RNA sequence: GGAGAGGUGGCUGAGUGGUUGAAAGCGGCUCCCUGCUAAGGAGUUACAGGAGGUAACUUUUGUCGAGGGUUCGAAUCCCUCCCUCUCCGCCA
């Protein structure tokens, strides 16, 4: 959420900053609403002050005279009643305005960072670096072919259980998934992250707090009988974990790592990535999350990204780092680095982690602050996948495939998986 | 799911319509005494938002789980919701 005061006092700069996203955001209406709201706030405060003084006076009169219905008291009470009516009218107006302002502001995305490359869409993203040697041979198998050959997962039967875009992991496939989750959690824990295992169901307020609502209600699964949704990413419960708190600055940064299943409706992606592990309604992810001092979020962003990268390096998976351009930034993010892993069967890099600095955007929505020089200040939040498990498995299968159809397991994973080779049972 | 009890400041815990943002205690902070430690004495101490000032600060509003209502006035009365605890049921 953007700062309401900024919108009220400097609407042109707000519009200008938002326009970097390559879309026109008109905020003149919101601007007017915030001014109206402000005026009503002031009026209410002054009436309340008068009314409060009057009530005290009445109390004093009663205790002095012990007379509850003197002519004077009756007229004072009548005056008080007038205040009450007037105030409640204004409060009703204020309620409506508050909601309108809040609704509108919540639909505005975060400002892009000045450091983000300016661009229209994903074609303008900037490759910052690559790591590892990508396999470029022509006759390499896709991960779903490998998965089928080695009987690692099953999508046909999964449509019986649920529908398309769900998968059931089998035998070594399930084992490998589990190994990856444990490996990543252990790595990050050793690296200073506190492990959390949050609820998979989250309420609307939590989704609003991290930016998924109100604009993207289409992208999550909703429970029809409750105000609960299947969480699309652990970023949601992790943000909400400290909702409405003022965190002691000595405790910052708070660094969390969480494994969670993630559920996404993938509306509008019909026909894309229909095979394999790349795009599913349900997938597993290990997420990194920081709450940090506002002055330190830029370096924190570098750190969270390199923490995610360290997993790819340990697994010896070739990848590249991409600086997301202003037009392709996610709703809550001001700057995002994507890590894209090399998938040899399609000869391209695919997103496996997205590391974002949201500045105070989510903190303001969720009311998470810290004291700086005795003043309460919204802190900064950052999130990054560390990593998406299904896509990691796909990358391991494709990058580790051997001529005889078996798959080499990266050394770092062997203690977790229990073998250095994946072959037909 | 049923029945009951409860939610007050950093903590414990009073408070059932009136100058109560809230007694008392603990804790915290400042000073004094003693000074090796322990103890003792005096004072002070909730939080959040807005407005004004470069600032120390001033002013104003709100806050006793949340939101409504009654009233000139609500921690206190009424309604709705949330949460916690106990018992029963069900259950991994």
């Amino acid at each position: 959420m953007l700062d309401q005061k900024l919108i009220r006092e400097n609407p042109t700069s707000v519009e200008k900053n938002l326009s970097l996203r390559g879309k026109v955001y008109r905020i003149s209406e919101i601007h007017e609403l915030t001014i109206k709201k402000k005026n009503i706030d002031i009026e209410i405060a002054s009436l309340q002050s008068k009314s409060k003084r009057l009530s005290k006076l009445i109390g004093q009169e009663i205790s002095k005279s012990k007379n509850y219905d003197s002519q004077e008291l009756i007229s004072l009470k009548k005056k008080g009643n007038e205040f009450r009516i007037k105030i409640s009218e204004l409060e009703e107006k204020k309620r409506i305005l508050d909601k309108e302002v809040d609704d509108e502001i919540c639909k505005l995305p975060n400002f892009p960072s000045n450091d983000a490359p300016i661009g229209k869409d994903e074609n303008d993203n900037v490759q910052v670096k690559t790591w590892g040697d990508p396999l470029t041979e022509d006759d390499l198998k896709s991960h779903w072919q490998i998965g089928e050959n080695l009987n690692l997962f099953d999508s046909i039967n999964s449509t019986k259980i649920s529908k398309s875009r769900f998968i059931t992991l089998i035998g070594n496939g399930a084992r490998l998934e589990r190994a990856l989750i444990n490996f990543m959690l252990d790595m990050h824990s050793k690296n200073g992250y506190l492990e959390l295992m949050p609820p998979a169901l989250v309420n609307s307020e939590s989704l609003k707090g991290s930016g998924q609502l109100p604009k993207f209600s289409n992208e999550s699964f909703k429970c029809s009988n409750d105000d609960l949704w299947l969480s699309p990413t652990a970023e949601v419960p992790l943000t909400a974990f400290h909702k409405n708190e003022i965190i002691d600055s000595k405790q910052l940064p708070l660094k969390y790592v969480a494994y969670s299943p993630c559920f996404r409706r993938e509306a509008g992606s019909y026909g894309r990535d229909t095979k394999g592990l790349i795009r599913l309604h349900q997938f597993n992810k290990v997420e990194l999350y920081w709450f940090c001092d506002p002055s330190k979020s830029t370096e924190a962003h570098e750190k969270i990204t390199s923490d995610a990268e360290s997993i790819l390096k340990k697994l010896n998976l070739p990848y590249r780092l991409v600086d997301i351009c202003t037009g392709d930034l996610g709703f809550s993010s001001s700057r995002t680095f994507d890590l894209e892993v090399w998938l040899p069967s399609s000869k391209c890099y695919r997103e496996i982690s997205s590391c974002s600095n949201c500045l105070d955007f989510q903190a303001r929505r969720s009311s998470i602050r810290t004291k700086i020089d005795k003043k309460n200040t919204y802190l900064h939040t950052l999130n990054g996948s560390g990593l998406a498990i299904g896509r990691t498995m796909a990358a391991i299968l494709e990058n580790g495939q051997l001529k005889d159809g078996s798959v080499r397991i990266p050394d770092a994973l062997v203690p977790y998986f229990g073998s250095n080779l994946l072959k037909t049972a």
Side-chain angles (χ1 to χ4, degrees), chain A residues 56-317:
Chain A
K56 263 183 195 173
L57 186 69
I58 291 173
Q60 282 165 3
E61 285 300 318
I62 288 172
S63 57
K64 220 190 309 173
S65 65
K66 304 287 178 225
N67 181 350
Y68 287 79
D69 44 11
S70 71
Q71 200 56 43
E72 199 191 344
L73 276 181
I74 288 169
S75 94
L76 283 177
K77 283 185 189 180
K78 201 177 153 209
K79 204 170 161 208
N81 193 31
E82 281 164 14
F83 274 130
R84 183 162 62 89
I85 290 167
K86 184 74 187 153
I87 289 170
S88 72
E89 278 172 9
L90 285 172
E91 276 179 339
E92 178 60 21
K93 271 193 201 167
K94 176 182 151 68
R95 242 196 308 277
I96 294 167
L97 265 175
D98 273 344
K99 195 174 173 328
E100 267 181 281
V101 168
D102 187 65
D103 284 354
E104 290 307 314
I105 290 184
C106 277
K107 289 184 203 156
L108 295 174
N110 201 357
F111 295 138
S113 157
N114 286 329
D115 300 326
I118 292 172
K120 240 174 64 196
D121 53 37
E122 72 255 26
N123 298 312
D124 297 326
N125 293 343
V126 175
Q127 175 178 309
V128 176
K129 67 169 179 184
T130 61
W131 186 91
D133 301 313
L135 288 173
T136 51
E137 294 159 50
D138 280 331
D139 54 346
L140 294 174
K141 292 195 186 73
S142 67
H143 71 274
W144 58 89
Q145 288 168 321
I146 299 169
E148 193 177 318
N149 293 344
L150 298 179
N151 195 30
L152 300 176
F153 44 82
D154 177 303
S155 51
I156 309 281
N157 284 300
S158 302
T159 63
K160 288 196 286 191
I161 304 174
S162 312
K163 59 184 279 191
S164 65
R165 285 201 195 287
F166 283 92
I167 211 143
T168 305
L169 295 163
I170 303 168
N172 279 332
R175 187 178 180 80
L176 181 55
E177 181 94 355
R178 190 154 53 85
L180 282 167
I181 294 168
N182 282 337
F183 165 68
M184 292 184 197
L185 287 173
D186 281 355
M187 288 285 301
H188 294 306
S189 296
K190 272 183 218 154
N191 205 6
Y193 287 82
L194 178 64
E195 183 177 341
L196 297 186
M197 198 172 285
L201 266 62
V202 296
N203 60 37
S204 301
E205 206 183 295
S206 297
L207 280 166
K208 189 177 160 194
S210 43
Q212 280 76 12
L213 285 180
K215 267 198 107 172
F216 307 102
S217 59
N218 246 345
E219 304 195 359
S220 291
F221 292 101
K222 170 110 171 69
C223 301
S224 59
N225 285 334
D226 301 280
D227 178 33
L228 289 170
W229 306 65
L230 300 189
S231 172
T233 161
E235 181 188 341
V236 178
L238 288 172
T239 310
F241 189 61
H242 286 298
K243 186 158 63 187
N244 298 329
E245 287 184 19
I246 297 171
I247 297 170
D248 187 344
S249 60
K250 286 198 280 292
Q251 289 182 32
L252 298 179
L254 289 170
K255 298 157 70 176
Y256 295 111
V257 57
Y259 153 73
S260 83
C262 305
F263 303 90
R264 299 187 182 175
R265 293 192 62 237
E266 298 295 345
S269 69
Y270 305 109
R272 246 195 299 160
D273 304 316
T274 51
K275 284 185 175 161
L277 304 171
I278 298 299
R279 191 176 299 276
L280 297 169
H281 286 310
Q282 173 180 351
F283 62 97
N284 292 312
K285 182 155 61 69
V286 167
E287 181 81 357
L288 305 175
Y289 201 96
W290 287 47
F291 296 87
C292 88
D293 184 294
S295 66
K296 294 179 183 144
S297 67
T298 305
E299 42 181 305
H301 193 202
E302 302 279 341
K303 186 75 177 85
I304 199 173
T305 307
S306 71
D307 287 341
E309 278 179 79
S310 73
I311 300 290
L312 285 162
K313 288 178 179 166
K314 284 261 183 210
L315 295 176
N316 203 27
L317 295 170

Side-chain angles (χ1 to χ4, degrees), chain A residues 1-14:
Chain A
M1 183 158 57
L2 301 178
D3 184 4
Q4 203 175 118
K5 197 172 173 183
L6 189 65
I7 291 175
R8 191 176 68 231
E9 290 174 355
N10 205 341
T12 16
S13 88
V14 170

